[in-house]
């Protein structure tokens, strides 16, 4: 489980395909603190560390993950938002993030807000999935590439988030522009409430 507070950007240093899986090797400042089998969020996707050597670590993304996220589009040299799992007893500075990406969205607009930036994203709307809680709520929480953010001005298939300069500098939001595909995870609490409402209706 994660909080959506990104620690830093890791750099992809190698990519190896293995049948339908992809092994991603990355470099970041806390590699020496990692352990095999540890969970790390990559652009919001929870992946398991399978190898550590020469100042790098490797994780494996399987076909389901590649189909549902933007990890399959990564190339050597790309930056990935990374966050280690929460520690029990620590502060929850963001919101509850599972690292189970619901899908992707595409950036449609970036506006300079004179100190911050407003990003608009569009995702594929599905009425049945929306009934189950897969939608954005005004002033609710959403995770974009692993970053915990507050939703502004949602429609049935778009939402806006505002990025302060610190977040822009520390995460890969500085690389996002119109046309960029990002990973999104809707709020788990909303999913539980929607599911409970569906059960009560039966």
């Amino acid at each position: 489980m994660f909080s959506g507070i990104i620690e830093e950007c890791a750099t992809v240093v190698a990519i190896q395909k293995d049948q339908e899986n992809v092994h991603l090797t990355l470099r970041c400042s806390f590699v020496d603190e990692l352990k095999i089998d540890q969970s790390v969020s990559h652009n919001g996707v929870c992946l398991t560390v399978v190898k550590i050597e020469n100042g790098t670590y490797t994780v494996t993304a399987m076909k389901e993950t590649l189909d549902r996220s933007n990890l399959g589009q990564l190339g050597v040299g790309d930056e990935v938002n990374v966050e280690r799992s929460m520690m029990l007893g620590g502060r929850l500075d963001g919101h509850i993030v599972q690292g189970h990406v619901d899908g992707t969205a595409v950036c449609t607009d970036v506006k300079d807000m004179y100190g911050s930036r407003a990003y608009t994203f569009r995702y594929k709307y599905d009425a049945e999935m929306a009934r189950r809680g897969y939608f954005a709520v005004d002033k609710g929480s959403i995770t974009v590439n692993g970053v915990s953010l507050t939703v502004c001005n949602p429609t049935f298939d778009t939402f806006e988030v505002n990025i302060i300069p610190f977040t822009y500098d520390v995460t890969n939001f500085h690389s996002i522009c119109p046309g960029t595909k990002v990973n999104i995870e809707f709020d788990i609490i909303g999913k539980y409430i929607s599911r409970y409402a569906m059960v009560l209706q039966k």
Side-chain angles (χ1 to χ4, degrees), residues 9 15 17 33 38 56 70 80 84 86 105-106 114 117 123 136 139 145-146 152 162 175 178 188:
C9 285
I15 298 174
K17 292 186 177 180
E33 301 173 36
Q38 188 169 349
T56 67
N70 64 5
V80 179
R84 287 170 286 184
M86 288 191 297
V106 175
Y114 305 101
R117 290 174 174 83
Y123 59 95
K139 305 307 179 187
N145 270 2
C152 301
N162 292 315
S175 300
I188 184 61

Side-chain angles (χ1 to χ4, degrees), residues 15-188:
I15 298 174
Q16 180 184 358
K17 292 186 177 180
D18 181 9
Q19 298 183 63
E20 292 191 330
N21 296 335
V22 171
H23 305 296
L24 300 168
T25 300
L26 306 99
R27 178 176 287 111
C28 69
S29 68
F30 55 74
V31 171
D32 293 340
E33 301 173 36
L34 295 177
K35 297 179 181 178
I36 301 296
D37 279 344
Q38 188 169 349
S39 295
V40 179
S41 170
H42 299 78
N43 278 355
V45 181
C46 178
L47 297 174
T48 302
V49 177
V50 297
K51 184 168 68 174
I52 301 171
E53 65 177 12
N54 300 324
T56 67
Y57 70 95
T58 300
V59 293
T60 300
M62 57 186 173
K63 185 178 186 300
E64 166 71 11
T65 302
L66 298 171
D67 289 344
R68 191 178 286 267
S69 72
N70 64 5
L71 297 186
Q73 296 182 327
L74 291 175
V76 172
D78 284 348
E79 292 181 319
V80 179
N81 293 334
V82 290
E83 177 195 357
R84 287 170 286 184
S85 57
M86 288 191 297
M87 296 181 66
L88 189 63
R91 290 188 176 92
L92 181 58
D93 292 319
H95 73 281
I96 297 173
V97 178
Q98 292 186 299
H100 303 159
V101 167
D102 295 316
T104 58
V106 175
C107 178
T108 60
D109 189 40
V110 181
K111 292 180 181 176
D112 186 349
M113 304 297 287
Y114 305 101
S116 62
R117 290 174 174 83
Y119 291 76
T120 301
F121 295 97
R122 173 170 280 110
Y123 59 95
K124 183 179 179 181
Y125 174 78
D126 182 291
E128 179 57 28
M129 294 301 286
R131 229 167 58 87
R132 298 180 185 180
Y134 294 80
F135 59 89
V137 178
D138 195 27
K139 305 307 179 187
S141 297
I142 196 165
T143 308
V144 177
N145 270 2
V147 183
S148 172
L149 297 165
T150 300
V151 174
C152 301
N153 305 318
T155 69
F156 73 98
D157 67 346
T158 69
F159 63 91
E160 182 182 300
V161 292
N162 292 315
I163 302 299
I164 62 173
F166 177 82
T167 304
Y168 180 85
D169 292 337
V170 172
T171 72
N172 61 16
F173 259 91
H174 56 248
S175 300
I176 295 175
C177 59
T180 301
K181 182 185 287 187
V182 298
N183 298 327
I184 57 173
E185 179 183 333
F186 298 106
D187 187 10
I188 184 61

